[in-house]
Amino acid sequence: MIRFVDTTKIYSNGVVGVKNVTLNIEKGEFVFVIGPSGSGKSTFLKLIMHEEAPTEGEVYVNGYSIHNMPRSEVPYLRRSLGVVFQDFRLLPNKTAYENVAFAMQIVEALPREIRRQVPLALGLVGLSKKARAYPGQLSGGEQQRVVLARALVNNPAVLIADEPTGNLDPKTSMEIMELLDEINQRGTTVIVATHEKNIVDSMKKRVITLDKGELVSDVKKGLYTDED
Amino acid sequence: MKIRTLRLLAKEGAANVYKNKLMSAASMVTITTTLFILGLVLLIIVNVITKLEAQKRNLQVRFYLRVEATRLEQEEVAIFIENCRATGVVTAYEYESREQAYENAKKDLKHESLMEGLTPENFAEGYFVTLANPNDSDQFIAKLKLLSGVDTQWITYPKQELERISAIVGVFNYVAVFVLAVLMIISVLLISNTIRLTVFARRKEIEIMKYVGANDWFIRFPFIIEGMIIGLLGALLSFLLTSQAYVWIKNGLTALFSSIKITDLQLMEFDQFAIRILVVNIIFGMTIGVIGSFMSVKKHLDV
Ligand SMILES: Nc1ncnc2c1ncn2[C@@H]1O[C@H](COP(=O)(O)OP(=O)(O)OP(=O)(O)O)[C@@H](O)[C@H]1O
Ligand SMILES: [Mg+2]
């Protein structure tokens, strides 16, 4: 599903993003990526979605090879992924419904399909009642739910989330994580970069730890503090 | 891309014109201003060129028959000229008989003594011919010279004047093209600057669209529609302004000239080129809008 083969990302200013990372993530897995600030968690996810290209090594995602990927192929890679960010990134002048529908319009889904799937996705994240609200009218947790609905409406094989709860209070964070778990139960591979010790510890999922760009531990059913 | 997607994106672009009212208005004013200037410059040039062309058409070929031409030869010339008029080569001609020539000469020459001993028989018949197309003059004169009744030494045509006018018309045509090109470039720069601002304000949006997997055309198309609509609106507004300004200038000039007793210097009626100006405005306005959008979206697409 996702495979890093001796992957290194060095930014143009010489700073190391990730260094010699080799690992496999299988279909249906739920993976936490943890590590101190600046350890390369975001870089790791950016490589998966081709926001950054690897300097050396290769990354395979859903059958796409990321190194030297032609520009025209990038949209197709991203459509096979659902992405969630700490700062939500919803289109500000579209309603919750329209934001979710947008992801389907991109793949030229039939209007009939859009009308069927969007309410389902909004229902799944518990936001049916706010379909007509604009992002500015929604709380952080609600916005992140819309982002989740958008990320999963096309049934992506992989969902990646970069600190999805970074801007949310503990209770809302837990709810979002439970949603991610639910999405994972339905077969989607989920990869989450996070700082939230409590959540990681309570969920007992695979935990990948990065430090200074290097993979320092990779534990099934791990805890945040495993490597201490 | 599917038709239904294009329709969707077109709607999106149209909605954005309204949603980003301020930027739309700014872009529209830019387009309107340049098209307005362009329109007035073009109208002035068209007026000058039309006047010059009219002047060209007033130039006449003048020729005389030989004094000793026979009746047959006279008739041959008359028939030739009539034929030329029938086929449209000649738009009009004046005929001067020997008697008229004699009378005219008497009027022109102040001193009676110079006319002494001359009778109408000493004068030649003349033709003053206006050609439909002044550029046909060489060919026309060559044909005249084949007629035995024509006095080949006295065929005159103000060729120098014609050439000078043609040269001036040519220069004005170049000037027109040059002005057009310069204004076009200026307006594309201005408009892409304005649109760059709107795109910059919306670069986050573009980024998000890319993250979700939109391809370049999906992002670009609404902006292009937006540019097209703004261009069209700018063109229509500029057309209104141009027509008002032109009529205003025309009336002003007419009043000015008539106050100093010049009556034949009139600008042409606006109606004569209303359609052309409208079409030029729309084509230029939309082109400028589309090119502007295209250029300014381009650099934000690499994410
Ligand atoms: N675009 C960039 N250009 C240059 N250096 C960068 C860039 N993005 C990240 N870095 C650097 O790469 C290193 C890894 O950054 P990254 O964002 O992957 O860390 P992170 O683990 O996500 O940190 P955080 O927990 O603070 O989000 C850091 O030293 C960072 O300064
Ligand atoms: Mg990060």
Side-chain angles (χ1 to χ4, degrees), chain A residues 32 199-207 220-223:
Chain A
F32 281 118
I199 289 175
V200 175
D201 286 349
S202 71
M203 285 179 72
K204 307 259 177 350
K205 302 289 186 187
R206 178 176 172 189
V207 177
K220 304 263 173 209
K221 299 197 188 237
L223 298 175

Side-chain angles (χ1 to χ4, degrees), chain A residues 107-170:
Chain A
V107 297
E108 309 206 80
L110 287 169
R112 182 160 26 92
E113 280 292 297
I114 296 179
R115 280 195 297 273
R116 211 163 57 99
Q117 294 295 336
V118 174
L120 280 182
L122 284 172
L124 186 76
V125 299
L127 218 62
S128 299
K129 291 218 173 71
K130 306 270 180 154
R132 288 162 174 279
Y134 286 89
Q137 302 167 328
L138 295 172
S139 74
E142 288 168 335
Q143 288 187 52
Q144 200 60 305
R145 285 166 192 272
V146 179
V147 175
L148 276 177
R150 178 179 72 187
L152 57 86
V153 73
N154 284 330
N155 281 317
V158 178
L159 195 147
I160 57 183
D162 193 354
E163 302 189 32
T165 59
N167 284 341
L168 305 174
D169 63 51

Side-chain angles (χ1 to χ4, degrees), chain A residues 38-221:
Chain A
S39 58
K41 303 182 294 295
S42 297
T43 306
F44 180 81
L45 296 184
K46 282 175 181 172
L47 287 169
I48 295 176
M49 62 183 285
H50 198 281
E51 190 183 333
E52 299 288 350
T55 317
E56 268 170 62
E58 184 55 279
V59 181
Y60 300 97
V61 179
N62 298 334
Y64 294 96
S65 116
I66 302 289
H67 205 147
N68 295 329
M69 180 176 237
R71 212 181 112 71
S72 59
E73 236 181 66
V74 176
Y76 296 98
L77 164 77
R78 292 192 182 157
R79 288 173 204 177
S80 74
L81 303 168
V83 286
V84 178
F85 304 94
Q86 178 175 0
D87 57 353
F88 317 137
R89 304 200 191 173
L90 290 166
L91 295 169
N93 47 22
K94 285 184 188 295
T95 62
Y97 182 96
E98 289 164 346
N99 262 288
V100 178
F102 183 77
M104 291 191 78
Q105 286 161 353
I106 282 175
V107 297
E108 309 206 80
L110 287 169
R112 182 160 26 92
E113 280 292 297
I114 296 179
R115 280 195 297 273
R116 211 163 57 99
Q117 294 295 336
V118 174
L120 280 182
L122 284 172
L124 186 76
V125 299
L127 218 62
S128 299
K129 291 218 173 71
K130 306 270 180 154
R132 288 162 174 279
Y134 286 89
Q137 302 167 328
L138 295 172
S139 74
E142 288 168 335
Q143 288 187 52
Q144 200 60 305
R145 285 166 192 272
V146 179
V147 175
L148 276 177
R150 178 179 72 187
L152 57 86
V153 73
N154 284 330
N155 281 317
V158 178
L159 195 147
I160 57 183
D162 193 354
E163 302 189 32
T165 59
N167 284 341
L168 305 174
D169 63 51
K171 183 168 166 288
T172 318
S173 296
M174 205 59 209
E175 285 167 13
I176 293 287
M177 280 302 172
E178 275 160 11
L179 260 177
L180 284 171
D181 197 21
E182 209 176 310
I183 292 164
N184 175 245
Q185 310 278 310
R186 290 151 48 100
T188 305
T189 310
V190 176
I191 306 170
V192 183
T194 186
H195 282 295
E196 314 248 7
K197 180 178 183 308
N198 295 342
I199 289 175
V200 175
D201 286 349
S202 71
M203 285 179 72
K204 307 259 177 350
K205 302 289 186 187
R206 178 176 172 189
V207 177
I208 292 170
T209 312
L210 295 174
D211 193 10
K212 300 195 184 82
E214 289 184 84
L215 178 66
V216 292
S217 92
D218 183 350
V219 190
K220 304 263 173 209
K221 299 197 188 237

Side-chain angles (χ1 to χ4, degrees), chain A residues 49 51 71 75 78-79 83 85 89-94 102-103 105-106 108-111 150, chain B residues 1-2 4-5 8 12 16 19 205 207-216 218 301-303:
Chain A
M49 62 183 285
E51 190 183 333
R71 212 181 112 71
R78 292 192 182 157
R79 288 173 204 177
V83 286
F85 304 94
R89 304 200 191 173
L90 290 166
L91 295 169
N93 47 22
K94 285 184 188 295
F102 183 77
Q105 286 161 353
I106 282 175
E108 309 206 80
L110 287 169
R150 178 179 72 187
Chain B
M1 239 188 247
K2 302 203 171 83
R4 95 169 160 264
T5 307
L8 183 95
E12 177 94 24
N16 283 344
K19 281 182 183 167
E205 243 174 279
E207 232 175 82
I208 295 169
M209 293 179 184
K210 295 232 67 162
Y211 283 133
V212 186
N215 63 24
D216 290 354
F218 204 95
L301 282 178
D302 287 307
V303 181

